[in-house]
Amino acid sequence: MEKHEMLSLNILAGAMGEIFDGIDRKTAHGFIHQGFDKPTHGRGDICARFFKFARQLKQKPVAIVAKVGTHVQAHLDSGNGSEFSNLVEKINVDGNYLNIFYKIEYMAQIIDATLEKGNSFVDARKLDKPERVMVEYSQPNSHKAFHVGHMRNCAIGELLRQNLSTTWA
């Protein structure tokens, strides 16, 4: 789990503990972690679901999300220089989901840090024992004309071949 996700998880778990009696931070942490998801396009950078709390609190998820959203928004609005308010642009209560939007500056730092690391997923990996991989990507029918669909498959296959030869050097 990335730093921004962990920080968001801690803030949400703390909010659950402060708002609702009978919910300890550890339980809230576990339930919210299971409910973290990537939202559909345009609905934030991370999404928290609160369905697992509904039975325990005897409330509808919509009501739980509204209370948590209001509490977290107040925390953001206080802007007390906390790390959370420095990385979160806004939150959005969308029915049963709490969507979190991170600041673009913070997301850019993550990308820069990933590209600078010597062990990131974009660097070549040295294998102890070289592996042989076959990428089969062009299978035109010998009895039909070669057309655009075949060329597309050839281009995708060549991209995969070059990517594998670079990253798995």
Side-chain angles (χ1 to χ4, degrees), residues 135-141 146-161:
V135 179
E136 186 175 328
Y137 51 86
S138 178
Q139 296 184 15
N141 187 339
F146 198 73
H147 61 81
V148 174
H150 293 115
M151 291 188 303
R152 179 183 136 270
N153 290 343
C154 287
I156 291 171
E158 181 62 16
L159 174 79
L160 287 172
R161 186 197 65 77

Side-chain angles (χ1 to χ4, degrees), residues 23-38:
I23 298 284
D24 63 294
R25 189 181 186 98
K26 187 176 181 181
T27 304
H29 201 278
F31 280 172
I32 296 170
H33 183 263
Q34 292 173 6
F36 261 12
D37 201 1
K38 300 289 182 197

Side-chain angles (χ1 to χ4, degrees), residues 68-79 84 89-92:
V68 172
T70 303
H71 186 82
V72 173
Q73 187 63 52
H75 181 77
L76 274 176
D77 292 342
S78 70
F84 185 71
E89 180 81 29
K90 66 178 180 173
I91 62 164
N92 177 24

Side-chain angles (χ1 to χ4, degrees), residues 109-129:
Q109 290 174 0
I110 293 172
I111 293 169
D112 289 342
T114 301
L115 294 175
E116 289 173 5
K117 286 183 183 175
N119 61 353
S120 75
F121 66 93
V122 294
D123 288 338
R125 292 171 173 83
K126 300 294 180 195
L127 300 174
D128 294 335
K129 181 181 176 189

Side-chain angles (χ1 to χ4, degrees), residues 53-118:
F53 293 105
R55 180 176 290 148
Q56 185 177 356
L57 296 171
K58 295 182 173 84
Q59 295 184 24
K60 294 187 178 197
V62 175
I64 297 170
V65 171
K67 289 178 183 176
V68 172
T70 303
H71 186 82
V72 173
Q73 187 63 52
H75 181 77
L76 274 176
D77 292 342
S78 70
N80 55 8
S82 73
E83 198 173 356
F84 185 71
S85 60
N86 290 337
L87 69 93
V88 173
E89 180 81 29
K90 66 178 180 173
I91 62 164
N92 177 24
V93 174
D94 186 13
N96 295 323
Y97 303 95
L98 182 70
N99 300 320
I100 300 172
F101 294 80
Y102 295 112
K103 291 182 179 176
I104 194 72
E105 298 86 16
Y106 182 78
M107 298 305 275
Q109 290 174 0
I110 293 172
I111 293 169
D112 289 342
T114 301
L115 294 175
E116 289 173 5
K117 286 183 183 175

